[in-house]
Amino acid sequence: MHAINNRVSTIEGGKLDELNIHPVNSSISMTLNQDQLTTTTRLVTSPDLTKSSFSLNGRVYEEVPGRIKDVIIIAQLRARLAGRTNVYPHLCIESINSFPTAAGLASSASGLAALAFGLTELYRLDEDASSLARRGSGSACRSLYGGFVHWIRPNDTLGWTGGFQTLCSSVSKLYPASHWPELKVLICVASSQKKSIGSTTGMQRTVNTSQLFQRARCESVKQHELLLLSALRDRNFDNFARIAMQDSNQLHAVCLDTWPPCIFLTDVSLKIMNWVHAMNRCCGRTVVAYTFDAGPNAFLFAEESNVSFLLHLLALCFGTKSCETTSEVPSGDSSINHVHVTDPVDKMVKNLLFRGIKYPVYSMPIDMELLKALPRHEGGILYVISTEVGDGPRVLASNLP
Amino acid sequence: MHAINNRVSTIEGGKLDELNIHPVNSSISMTLNQDQLTTTTRLVTSPDLTKSSFSLNGRVYEEVPGRIKDVIIIAQLRARLAGRTNVYPHLCIESINSFPTAAGLASSASGLAALAFGLTELYRLDEDASSLARRGSGSACRSLYGGFVHWIRPNDTLGWTGGFQTLCSSVSKLYPASHWPELKVLICVASSQKKSIGSTTGMQRTVNTSQLFQRARCESVKQHELLLLSALRDRNFDNFARIAMQDSNQLHAVCLDTWPPCIFLTDVSLKIMNWVHAMNRCCGRTVVAYTFDAGPNAFLFAEESNVSFLLHLLALCFGTKSCETTSEVPSGDSSINHVHVTDPVDKMVKNLLFRGIKYPVYSMPIDMELLKALPRHEGGILYVISTEVGDGPRVLASNLP
C-alpha cells in the first residue's frame, strides 16, 4: 500500500493542538502517482511474535519509533473497542520508500499514511485511516484519498469529541486525480542527504518565534487558499503557478525569520527558482512553477505540452556535464541564433538521469538568447522524477481471512 | 573625503516619500572606519569647464548619472540662494572606492555621502550635508556623522518644509566611534560581482508586493529598534548580536516574500549563517553575529578579544585551500582532541587573504570537536576585511580660498 503527498500551497505551520495534531493553517495537497513514488509497507502480526519490530528501507530499528508506536496503540485500541480478535501485542513492520527519505520529499507523510492504511485494513476498522495517520504525522492525513486534498484548520470546523467540544481539523477530497491530467510534476532531486532539521521541529519553532508568522502568515495562507481553490477548480495553470510559488516563498521566508533560523533552501534551490522566473519571462507566459517543501528539492509544475521542452532545458542547465553545443545561424534569418545539441537523446541521458513518466525527447532547436538568459549550475540536479497526480493507497497483497 | 555606512539592524524598507526620500522604517547604522573602507571623491569646478563629467573607479560615464545630477542641482540651488559666487555650471567628479562596488557593501551610500560632503564644502553651505546626501541615496544620509547613527522614520518627526507640513525623517548621531571600541567588524567578501537587482528597486518591490512586509515588518522593526538602542547603550554584545541577526534574517525573509522574489543571499551566505550559529552553540555563548545588506557578503560582529580566534577558524573553514591539519592528543588527557595547524601564519595567509586591521595570529590549539561541528565551504570567502566603527567624512585636500 502506498501514499505520498506533496504540499503545493499552504503549510501546516505548526500545530494548534499538539496532542491531537490539528494544524494552525489549512493546506491543500496533491497525492503523487504511486507508479513513480511509493512507500510499500508490510505488516505482520501473530500471537507467536515475542517482540515488535520496525525496519525502514532495510534498516532495522532497535526500538519502534515513538510516533509509529502511537499510531499502533490507537489502532489497537480502536480494534479492541470494535471487538476484533486479531489484536496481538506485537507487530512486525517493514517499510520501503522508492524515493529519498527525510529529504523534503514528504517521506514521513507517505510512510505514516501507508502504516495507518495498513492497520485500518489489518484490523478492519470502520473509522477513517486519515485520522489515524494524523496522529503519526500531521500531513499524512492528507495522503489517504488520492487526487487533490484539502486539510481544513480547526477554526472553521468546530467539532465534538468524547463529550467535550474540541477544535477539530477535517480532511476532504477536492478532486480526483483525473480532474487535471495535463498537470505534471517534475521533482528535481538536488540532494538526497537527510535534512539538518526535521520539518515538525522546524515548524513548531517557526510558530513560537517568527514574528512574521505570528503577525501575517495565517492571513496570507487564507488568501492563498481561496485563490488556489479557484485555480484548481478552473484548471487555471497561470494562477495555480503564481500562488504555488508565492506560498512556497512565504513559507521559506517565515522559516528564515525563525530563531534560530530554519534554512531548507540551498544554492541549487535558489538557482532553480531564478531559472523558473527567467524561463517564464523569456517565454512571455507561465510555462513552469516551483514549490519547495521542508527541503532543497524543487517540485516543478508544468502542463504536459511543455514537459519535453522543460526537461531538455533542465538537462542543459543543471545536468552533470555540459552538453557540447554548436551554434548556427539559420540561412535567411541572421537575427535569430539557435543552438543545436548534437545527438540530444544520448547527451540528455548522459547529462541528467530521468526517472518516472517517459516523455518524447525534445528535438526542436533551442533559442540561444533563452539559453543565455537562464541560470546554470552544472551537476546541480542529481536526477529528475517525472510524475503526476495519482490515487490513494491500495492493498498489494493480503492473507487476511 | 569618505563615508561608508553599514546598516546593522533595521532597514529603509522602501520609501514613504519617493520624491524627498523619507523611509518607511527607522534604521540604525554604524559608520565604518575609513582607514579600511573608503570612498575618495575629487570635485573640480571652474568657469572654464565646458562639460560636466563623472568617473567611478576610473570608468568615465558618458553622462552624469541621474541621482548624482539631482544632488548637484540641489547643492547649486542652495549655494546660489546663499549668494556663493563659485557656482559654475560644470563640475568634474572623480570617485574611487577602496572596496567592491554594487556588491551589497553600501558603496552607493558611501559614494553619495562623500559627494554631498564635498559639495557642502565646495560651496561652503550652511545646511546639513546629510539632507543633501539623502536626495542621492536614502541610506547615504546616515554616513555623514561617524559612529552610530539613527535615521528616524517620518511618523515620529512631523516637520515643516517650505511652508507645507510634510512628513520628514531625521538623522541623529547616537554615539561616537569611541563609544564601543571593542566591537569589531569582519566583512567576508564572498563575491565582488555586481548584484542582479539594485537595493532601491528591490526594496520598493518588497513594499509593494510582500504581504509579510505590509502586515508585520514595520511592527517588528519598531521592536528591534528599541532593543538595539538599549544594546548599544549598554554595549551588550549578546543582545546586540541577537537583534542584528534576527533583523537581518527578517529583512531577507521579506525579500524572499517579494514578487517576483528578491534573493540576495547565496549558498556561501547561508553557510556563514549556519557557521555563526554552530560557533555560538559550541562556545556556549555568543562570540560572533552576522548581518547581510542587500548582497551576499556577511558582515560579522565580534568583540576584540575573540577576533584572532574567529579569523583563524574562518580561514580553516572558508579559505581557498584547506590547511593540512595534524591531530594530536595532549599527554595526560586523552579525552580532548586538538588540531594543530602546522605553521599557522603561513597557512592562514595562503588560505584566506586578510585586509584591514591586523590581529595577532591565533596560536592556541583548536578543539577538534568544534572544527567538526562547523560548516565548511572551501574557497567560499575570497577575502576578509577587518574593520571597526569610525569617524565621518573629512577633507583630504582643498585649494579653496
Side-chain angles (χ1 to χ4, degrees):
Chain A
M1 55 220 80
H2 147 85
I4 173 156
N5 86 28
N6 166 33
R7 177 194 61 78
V8 290
S9 168
T10 56
I11 58 155
E12 305 83 59
K15 297 176 192 66
L16 196 65
D17 176 344
E18 273 280 7
L19 194 65
N20 292 298
I21 311 186
H22 293 298
V24 173
N25 282 319
S26 298
S27 55
I28 293 165
S29 72
M30 288 159 59
T31 313
L32 296 182
N33 195 322
Q34 55 200 290
D35 290 343
Q36 290 86 45
L37 296 106
T38 185
T39 296
T40 308
T41 298
R42 189 165 171 260
L43 297 179
V44 176
T45 192
S46 120
D48 307 332
L49 279 177
T50 56
K51 194 175 174 294
S52 286
S53 65
F54 174 76
S55 78
L56 178 58
N57 298 329
R59 185 198 143 201
V60 182
Y61 282 60
E62 286 200 16
E63 226 180 310
V64 179
R67 52 189 188 169
I68 290 176
K69 228 183 259 172
D70 291 348
V71 171
I72 296 172
I73 290 168
I74 296 166
Q76 292 188 336
L77 189 70
R78 288 182 180 182
R80 284 196 197 95
L81 287 171
R84 300 293 174 263
T85 54
N86 64 338
V87 190
Y88 312 119
H90 298 298
L91 270 167
C92 167
I93 303 165
E94 290 167 18
S95 194
I96 290 171
N97 294 325
S98 74
F99 55 97
T101 299
L105 296 181
S107 59
S108 68
S110 178
L112 267 301
L115 176 69
F117 181 74
L119 289 167
T120 303
E121 290 290 317
L122 177 67
Y123 296 131
R124 305 235 185 271
L125 299 177
D126 299 326
E127 288 114 316
D128 194 2
S130 171
S131 69
L132 187 57
R134 201 190 66 231
R135 308 301 276 259
S137 168
S139 56
C141 74
R142 299 177 306 202
S143 305
L144 278 301
Y145 301 92
F148 300 84
V149 180
H150 197 185
W151 190 14
I152 302 161
R153 52 168 293 187
N155 237 13
D156 312 325
T157 52
L158 268 180
W160 291 82
T161 311
F164 296 95
Q165 191 181 11
T166 55
L167 290 168
C168 281
S169 59
S170 70
V171 187
S172 70
K173 183 164 181 163
L174 288 170
Y175 303 103
S178 59
H179 172 67
W180 195 356
E182 299 81 17
L183 182 67
K184 301 295 174 186
V185 181
L186 306 173
I187 307 175
C188 301
V189 179
S191 159
S192 54
Q193 290 182 311
K194 282 194 78 169
K195 290 181 284 186
S196 58
I197 177 166
S199 32
T200 308
T201 321
M203 270 301 140
Q204 205 52 50
R205 208 158 81 194
T206 300
V207 173
N208 293 340
T209 66
S210 165
Q211 294 188 340
L212 296 181
F213 182 90
Q214 291 160 2
R215 294 191 173 126
R217 172 69 175 150
C218 297
E219 212 44 56
S220 287
V221 167
K222 280 185 200 157
Q223 273 188 19
H224 292 169
E225 191 184 358
L226 294 175
L227 292 168
L228 189 65
L229 287 173
S230 307
L232 286 177
R233 184 195 59 210
D234 305 339
R235 292 182 283 262
N236 183 325
F237 185 75
D238 208 51
N239 290 347
F240 169 81
R242 200 185 62 255
I243 299 302
M245 291 191 275
Q246 286 181 341
D247 195 77
S248 173
N249 291 342
Q250 194 172 82
L251 164 63
H252 291 280
V254 296
C255 290
L256 183 55
D257 188 47
T258 298
W259 186 253
C262 296
I263 301 168
F264 298 113
L265 304 177
T266 63
D267 194 32
V268 175
S269 320
L270 302 178
K271 277 254 170 62
I272 293 177
M273 288 164 64
N274 285 327
W275 186 88
V276 166
H277 289 292
M279 196 73 165
N280 292 336
R281 202 170 46 241
C282 290
C283 293
R285 63 191 189 87
T286 311
V287 294
V288 57
Y290 56 78
T291 189
F292 293 84
D293 232 79
N297 305 310
F299 292 77
L300 300 185
F301 300 111
E303 288 169 300
E304 189 167 12
S305 55
N306 294 321
V307 173
S308 288
F309 173 64
L310 290 168
L311 286 175
H312 190 97
L313 281 164
L314 277 175
L316 289 174
C317 297
F318 296 99
T320 46
K321 200 167 188 305
S322 295
C323 286
E324 288 134 44
T325 54
T326 56
S327 127
E328 60 179 45
V329 181
S331 57
D333 185 358
S334 62
S335 69
I336 303 167
N337 285 316
H338 286 95
V339 55
H340 280 275
V341 177
T342 47
D343 191 10
V345 189
D346 185 46
K347 289 286 175 189
M348 276 178 74
V349 170
K350 277 189 195 158
N351 218 26
L352 186 59
L353 287 166
F354 292 111
R355 301 183 181 181
I357 304 171
K358 295 262 177 294
Y359 290 92
V361 170
Y362 188 79
S363 55
M364 303 277 286
I366 300 285
D367 187 329
M368 189 71 116
E369 291 305 311
L370 170 63
L371 208 55
K372 269 195 229 159
L374 295 176
R376 282 156 173 264
H377 189 299
E378 200 178 296
I381 297 177
L382 297 179
Y383 57 91
V384 173
I385 308 172
S386 296
T387 183
E388 62 192 350
V389 182
D391 298 324
R394 62 173 97 119
V395 176
L396 295 178
S398 169
N399 63 355
L400 288 176
Chain B
M1 58 221 80
H2 146 85
I4 173 155
N5 85 27
N6 165 32
R7 176 194 60 80
V8 288
S9 171
T10 56
I11 59 155
E12 302 85 58
K15 298 178 191 65
L16 196 67
D17 175 345
E18 272 281 8
L19 194 64
N20 292 298
I21 310 185
H22 293 297
V24 173
N25 282 319
S26 298
S27 56
I28 294 167
S29 73
M30 288 159 60
T31 314
L32 296 182
N33 195 322
Q34 55 200 291
D35 289 344
Q36 289 87 44
L37 296 105
T38 185
T39 297
T40 308
T41 298
R42 190 165 171 260
L43 297 179
V44 176
T45 191
S46 119
D48 306 332
L49 281 177
T50 55
K51 195 174 173 297
S52 286
S53 67
F54 174 76
S55 78
L56 178 59
N57 299 330
R59 185 197 143 203
V60 182
Y61 281 60
E62 285 200 17
E63 224 180 309
V64 180
R67 54 190 186 166
I68 290 175
K69 227 184 257 172
D70 290 349
V71 171
I72 296 171
I73 290 167
I74 296 166
Q76 292 188 335
L77 189 69
R78 287 180 180 184
R80 283 197 199 95
L81 287 171
R84 300 292 174 263
T85 54
N86 63 341
V87 189
Y88 312 119
H90 298 297
L91 270 167
C92 166
I93 303 166
E94 290 166 18
S95 196
I96 291 170
N97 294 326
S98 73
F99 57 97
T101 300
L105 297 181
S107 59
S108 68
S110 179
L112 268 300
L115 176 69
F117 181 74
L119 289 167
T120 303
E121 290 290 317
L122 177 68
Y123 296 133
R124 304 231 184 276
L125 299 177
D126 300 324
E127 287 115 316
D128 196 1
S130 172
S131 70
L132 187 58
R134 201 190 67 234
R135 307 302 275 258
S137 167
S139 57
C141 74
R142 299 177 305 200
S143 304
L144 277 303
Y145 301 93
F148 300 85
V149 180
H150 197 185
W151 189 15
I152 302 162
R153 52 169 294 192
N155 238 13
D156 312 324
T157 52
L158 269 178
W160 290 82
T161 311
F164 294 95
Q165 192 183 9
T166 55
L167 289 168
C168 280
S169 59
S170 72
V171 186
S172 71
K173 183 166 182 162
L174 289 169
Y175 302 105
S178 59
H179 173 67
W180 196 355
E182 299 80 17
L183 182 67
K184 302 295 173 185
V185 181
L186 306 173
I187 306 174
C188 301
V189 179
S191 160
S192 53
Q193 290 182 310
K194 281 193 82 169
K195 291 181 284 187
S196 59
I197 175 166
S199 33
T200 309
T201 320
M203 270 302 140
Q204 205 52 52
R205 208 158 82 193
T206 300
V207 173
N208 293 340
T209 66
S210 165
Q211 293 188 339
L212 297 182
F213 182 90
Q214 291 160 2
R215 293 190 174 128
R217 172 68 175 149
C218 297
E219 210 46 54
S220 287
V221 166
K222 280 184 199 158
Q223 273 188 19
H224 292 170
E225 190 183 358
L226 294 176
L227 292 169
L228 190 64
L229 287 173
S230 307
L232 286 177
R233 184 195 59 207
D234 305 338
R235 292 182 283 262
N236 184 325
F237 184 74
D238 209 51
N239 290 345
F240 169 81
R242 200 186 64 255
I243 300 302
M245 291 190 276
Q246 287 182 339
D247 195 78
S248 172
N249 291 343
Q250 194 171 84
L251 164 64
H252 291 280
V254 297
C255 290
L256 184 56
D257 188 47
T258 298
W259 187 253
C262 295
I263 301 168
F264 297 114
L265 303 178
T266 63
D267 194 31
V268 176
S269 320
L270 302 179
K271 276 254 173 59
I272 293 177
M273 288 164 65
N274 285 328
W275 185 88
V276 166
H277 289 292
M279 196 71 163
N280 292 336
R281 203 170 46 241
C282 291
C283 293
R285 63 192 188 88
T286 312
V287 295
V288 57
Y290 57 77
T291 189
F292 292 83
D293 233 79
N297 305 310
F299 292 78
L300 300 185
F301 300 111
E303 287 170 298
E304 190 167 14
S305 55
N306 295 320
V307 173
S308 289
F309 173 64
L310 290 167
L311 286 176
H312 190 98
L313 281 165
L314 277 174
L316 289 174
C317 298
F318 296 99
T320 45
K321 199 165 188 306
S322 296
C323 285
E324 289 134 43
T325 53
T326 57
S327 125
E328 61 180 46
V329 181
S331 55
D333 184 358
S334 62
S335 69
I336 303 166
N337 285 318
H338 287 96
V339 55
H340 280 275
V341 177
T342 48
D343 191 10
V345 190
D346 185 47
K347 289 286 174 190
M348 277 179 72
V349 170
K350 277 189 194 158
N351 216 26
L352 186 60
L353 289 166
F354 292 110
R355 300 183 182 180
I357 303 172
K358 294 262 176 294
Y359 290 92
V361 170
Y362 187 78
S363 55
M364 303 276 287
I366 301 282
D367 185 330
M368 188 72 113
E369 291 306 309
L370 170 63
L371 208 55
K372 270 194 229 159
L374 296 176
R376 282 155 172 266
H377 190 299
E378 199 178 296
I381 297 178
L382 297 178
Y383 58 89
V384 173
I385 309 173
S386 297
T387 184
E388 62 191 352
V389 181
D391 297 325
R394 61 174 98 120
V395 176
L396 295 177
S398 167
N399 63 356
L400 289 176

